[in-house]
Amino acid sequence: MPEPTEPTVVERPTDAVDGLDTGDFVQRRLGVGFWLAVGWVFLIVGAALLAPLLPIGDPEEIGAGPRQDGPSWAHWFGTDSNGRDIFSRTIWGARVSLMVGFVSIVLGFLVGGLVGVVSGYFRGATDRVLSFVVFVMLSFPSLVLFLLIISIVGQGLWVVSLTLSVLVVPSVARLGRAITIAFAEREFVAAARLLGATNRRVMVREILPNVLIPMAALLLLGLGLTIVAEGGLAYLNLSVAEGFSWGKMINLGASPRTLRSAPWVAFFPIGAMFLTVLSLNWAGDRLRQYFDVRELGIGSR
Amino acid sequence: MAGSGTAHLRTADDVVLRVENLVMEFPAGRHQVVHAVSDVSFDIRRGETLGIVGESGCGKSTTARAIVQLPAPTSGRVLLDPGTDREAELTALEGEGLRQVRPRLQMIFQDPISSLNPRRRVRDIVAEGLAIWEGESGDEQVRAKVDEVLEAVGIDPTVAANRRPHEFSGGQCQRISIARAAVLKPEILICDEPVSALDVSVQAQILNLLEEMKSRYGLTLVFISHDLSVVRNVSDRVTVMYLGKVCEVGNADAIYSSPAHPYTRVLLASAPEPASTVDESESAIGDEIPSPIHPPSGCRFRTRCPRATDRCATEEPVLQELAEDHFVACHFPS
């Protein structure tokens, strides 16, 4: 029996991965901005989820106040040309905006991530076929695709979300493939195959845990993108037909006349969207840098 | 040098691994081909340690990877337990068939950090082989086996099992890699430069550990290294490779006491403390190692060989027996 010849565990400063557990350390590295951004995202998501329970007016009530009235105590964000309360509408509008953004980015990451991991792990013919499909999807004019699907299937919440997710898939697949390739060439993957692990087991146990974290950081950036995309589509009246989102509200307030006489109609939904997307981008970017530097050696820095 | 030929293969019935005419070529773009390994043959008897030496880029690691079919070689045969009822021709297997025989042949890699998945705990890493073939790493039996093998490699399971690889030093990571390979009780353990990335002080510990594991688990070792002194310490038999070919094969004592191939002599003379059997001046060979895309004709070593003649450019030397269990591929052996 050999004696343990070296000290059994090398003590290293906790700035390794489990630094995540120590809030102190994360604060130092991720910065105050990160936590402000996370705070804002939680605030807006919480408000959207709890909208029916909050003591705010009915967003669809016409004539809740005077028409195109500026911000006041009774109506914090003012009213629109139908006299509807913009504060209430901004909170309710977040529901559709966030829902479409969230569903589409999550679906896009699931499908794109799967395609990317499979493509990067197997390489060869599988990779060539999948990469070609991804390439075609990237080259296809997205607005045309969107119009096509909407005009055929309709403007339901799920149709819009699914269509947006289709647009997310190719970029995510490329990213997932790149990260997977970086890990698939490491020796621990070869070791797992030598032990007799099936391809599926190698992908799930060895590759996925390593790919997930950098992908999760990018999920936040992607969520910002899909929220903006939904806003753009809503502005063009191409998004969800039922209800309303920030994009639709911006559309209502965006005529030159309204902008001049009642800028708050468009300004508040724009502001809410801007702050949300800014927060998501900020938090996502900080997380991406955080993980890139520590483990991957891919991406920037 | 350049040895092709199979004269050195043995017929003993306890041969556990036989590699025949292994060729590994990679496309290098523009219709060019890298001849990484060209017609290499060797065999290993049960309980033996075969050392493979050669400078960087000579195809040692590629040979190791080709043996375990990661990736499979361009041509040639790799046989496990040839001539017995457990015979398996790895090069003829694929998919599920190959997976079934994989546990019989394990490997240790050069980079200890990259060998371990940063996201998994040591217990799960070492238990992976058992988890694939017997049961999950939480099972009582599996836990006991993992603890046992961790102790065998000198890692305290009570302290280490729930930690992740980044908390360990390179030497400890290599111990964990050895535990992971040994837990399935393989017949053959291929060690691809297992100590090259470690501090000299740790190298000896890992080499000793490999010796202990060899006797404890009845392993047969293939030990690949560019470091002759390391190979000499651990090997019973040595194969010297140059640019994808075998130069000289024989028992370790014969190779070191009477090196016959000019390249072997160069290697021995280049060591920090040259062997007494060669003169230090013999280490002076010109030129860089030729490109494996356009290897020299005839003997691949002729461009750097002090004894090269016209014959070496046209006729490739074949491995021939020089003495008992000592083969050399050279037209003008010493």
Side-chain angles (χ1 to χ4, degrees):
Chain A
M1 266 303 291
E3 296 287 312
T5 38
E6 300 156 66
T8 313
V9 167
V10 176
E11 288 304 328
R12 293 208 188 153
T14 39
D15 69 77
V17 182
D18 29 349
L20 267 183
D21 304 335
T22 56
D24 202 34
F25 159 72
V26 173
Q27 192 105 25
R28 184 152 43 85
R29 285 297 184 86
L30 290 173
V32 183
F34 173 80
W35 293 108
L36 282 177
V38 169
W40 172 261
V41 171
F42 269 95
L43 184 73
I44 207 85
V45 169
L49 285 175
L50 299 174
L53 306 176
L54 294 178
I56 52 176
D58 180 353
E60 302 281 18
E61 185 190 347
I62 290 173
R67 290 178 176 194
Q68 292 200 349
D69 194 24
S72 65
W73 266 119
H75 306 286
W76 291 355
F77 290 1
T79 56
D80 67 8
S81 49
N82 289 321
R84 292 177 295 195
D85 180 55
I86 291 179
F87 179 68
S88 163
R89 286 177 67 78
T90 302
I91 288 178
W92 281 87
R95 289 167 74 91
V96 172
S97 287
L98 293 177
M99 179 76 176
V100 171
F102 185 76
V103 169
S104 55
I105 200 68
V106 167
L107 278 177
F109 264 71
L110 285 180
V111 176
L114 185 72
V115 169
V117 168
V118 167
S119 177
Y121 175 69
F122 284 108
R123 309 294 296 268
T126 316
D127 185 26
R128 279 195 291 278
V129 171
L130 288 176
S131 292
F132 181 73
V133 173
V134 163
F135 189 70
V136 169
M137 287 175 80
L138 273 177
S139 316
F140 204 85
S142 47
L143 202 59
V144 174
L145 178 71
F146 208 93
L147 281 168
L148 200 71
I149 297 181
I150 300 278
S151 62
I152 295 171
V153 193
Q155 284 172 271
L157 181 88
W158 286 98
V159 177
V160 173
S161 303
L162 278 173
T163 312
L164 269 178
S165 75
V166 170
L167 301 179
V168 172
V169 165
S171 320
V172 176
R174 283 198 151 186
L175 182 81
R177 176 176 177 274
I179 303 176
T180 302
I181 287 174
F183 280 104
E185 282 163 5
R186 302 270 291 269
E187 277 87 354
F188 66 80
V189 172
R193 293 187 62 191
L194 279 179
L195 291 170
T198 55
N199 285 324
R200 197 174 69 177
R201 190 179 174 97
V202 174
M203 280 189 276
V204 172
R205 303 275 176 127
E206 310 291 340
I207 301 214
L208 211 54
N210 286 294
V211 172
L212 272 183
I213 285 189
M215 293 281 275
L218 286 149
L219 193 120
L220 292 180
L221 296 177
L223 181 53
L225 276 178
T226 49
I227 289 175
V228 169
E230 193 281 333
L233 291 167
Y235 184 81
L236 299 171
N237 275 324
L238 292 174
S239 185
V240 187
E242 290 273 306
F244 58 93
S245 65
W246 289 336
K248 227 182 213 178
M249 293 171 67
I250 295 168
N251 181 14
L252 287 180
S255 71
R257 214 157 48 105
T258 318
L259 272 182
R260 226 174 291 125
S261 60
W264 54 85
V265 176
F267 176 80
F268 283 106
I270 289 176
M273 184 188 283
F274 170 74
L275 282 178
T276 307
V277 173
L278 178 71
S279 299
L280 289 168
N281 283 345
W282 188 280
D285 204 49
R286 296 302 305 162
L287 281 180
R288 191 180 55 77
Q289 285 176 358
Y290 182 82
F291 286 112
D292 271 357
V293 176
R294 351 215 77 249
E295 350 223 304
L296 279 182
I298 64 165
S300 61
R301 273 235 261 190
Chain B
M1 116 136 214
S4 299
T6 52
H8 58 300
L9 293 182
R10 296 164 294 186
T11 49
D13 54 9
D14 62 348
V15 168
V16 285
L17 177 72
R18 180 183 295 150
V19 175
E20 294 174 1
N21 310 109
L22 191 78
V23 175
M24 192 77 202
E25 291 170 352
F26 301 101
R30 293 199 212 156
H31 307 292
Q32 290 186 320
V33 170
V34 177
H35 303 271
V37 178
S38 305
D39 200 4
V40 162
S41 306
F42 54 84
D43 56 14
I44 305 158
R45 291 166 68 168
R46 186 169 305 283
E48 202 172 50
T49 298
L50 174 74
I52 301 180
V53 275
E55 64 201 300
S56 306
C58 75
K60 310 174 298 250
S61 296
T62 313
T63 304
R65 290 293 193 118
I67 292 172
V68 299
Q69 312 291 307
L70 282 178
T74 311
S75 69
R77 299 210 303 162
V78 176
L79 293 153
L80 271 182
D81 297 312
T84 68
D85 53 0
R86 286 169 53 75
E87 174 173 314
E89 186 180 344
L90 295 182
T91 36
L93 293 170
E94 53 182 83
E96 183 61 19
L98 182 58
R99 195 175 82 82
Q100 291 293 336
V101 298
R102 281 217 183 277
R104 290 160 65 181
L105 203 118
Q106 291 298 308
M107 194 162 163
I108 313 283
F109 302 92
Q110 177 173 0
D111 183 344
I113 311 296
S114 182
S115 294
L116 306 176
N117 187 340
R119 297 255 151 244
R120 302 189 77 183
R121 295 177 191 282
V122 169
R123 174 175 301 286
D124 294 328
I125 289 173
V126 176
E128 179 69 4
L130 297 168
I132 292 166
W133 298 103
E134 295 177 26
E136 283 306 315
S137 73
D139 294 0
E140 204 51 48
Q141 267 191 320
V142 172
R143 287 184 78 89
K145 283 185 182 175
V146 170
D147 287 354
E148 187 198 317
V149 77
L150 278 175
E151 274 165 21
V153 298
I155 299 271
D156 182 354
T158 54
V159 180
N162 289 320
R163 297 184 180 244
R164 290 184 212 274
H166 67 85
E167 296 180 65
F168 296 88
S169 68
Q172 289 167 324
C173 285
Q174 213 58 317
R175 288 172 187 271
I176 295 166
S177 289
I178 293 169
R180 169 178 60 193
V183 80
L184 283 178
K185 305 212 157 58
E187 294 169 52
I188 299 164
L189 183 61
I190 299 176
C191 308
D192 183 6
E193 303 255 12
V195 298
S196 306
L198 305 178
D199 289 346
V200 178
S201 58
V202 182
Q203 286 188 357
Q205 295 169 5
I206 297 296
L207 293 175
N208 289 338
L209 174 64
L210 283 170
E211 286 292 328
E212 283 157 13
M213 296 299 280
K214 185 183 166 185
S215 53
R216 182 180 175 132
Y217 289 90
L219 299 172
T220 302
L221 293 187
V222 179
F223 193 94
I224 295 170
S225 178
H226 63 272
D227 187 336
L228 273 160
S229 58
V230 168
V231 167
R232 176 176 203 176
N233 282 333
V234 298
S235 306
D236 304 309
R237 211 157 182 256
V238 172
T239 296
V240 182
M241 283 184 70
Y242 179 82
L243 207 59
K245 294 269 187 184
V246 174
C247 307
E248 191 166 0
V249 185
N251 69 66
D253 293 338
I255 298 267
Y256 284 90
S257 61
S258 53
H261 196 288
Y263 180 62
T264 313
R265 299 185 73 85
V266 168
L267 280 182
L268 287 170
S270 314
E273 290 166 32
S276 57
T277 47
V278 293
D279 189 88
E280 211 170 320
S281 64
E282 288 185 65
S283 69
I285 52 168
D287 300 335
E288 288 288 295
I289 187 166
S291 161
I293 295 176
H294 303 291
S297 63
C299 174
R300 289 195 180 177
F301 186 57
R302 68 176 166 81
T303 53
R304 301 165 80 187
C305 182
R307 294 179 215 164
T309 64
D310 291 346
R311 184 184 170 199
C312 301
T314 51
E315 186 187 338
E316 182 184 348
V318 175
L319 279 164
Q320 47 176 313
E321 186 159 15
L322 204 66
E324 196 192 342
D325 198 22
H326 188 181
F327 298 82
V328 65
C330 180
H331 296 309
F332 310 103
S334 40

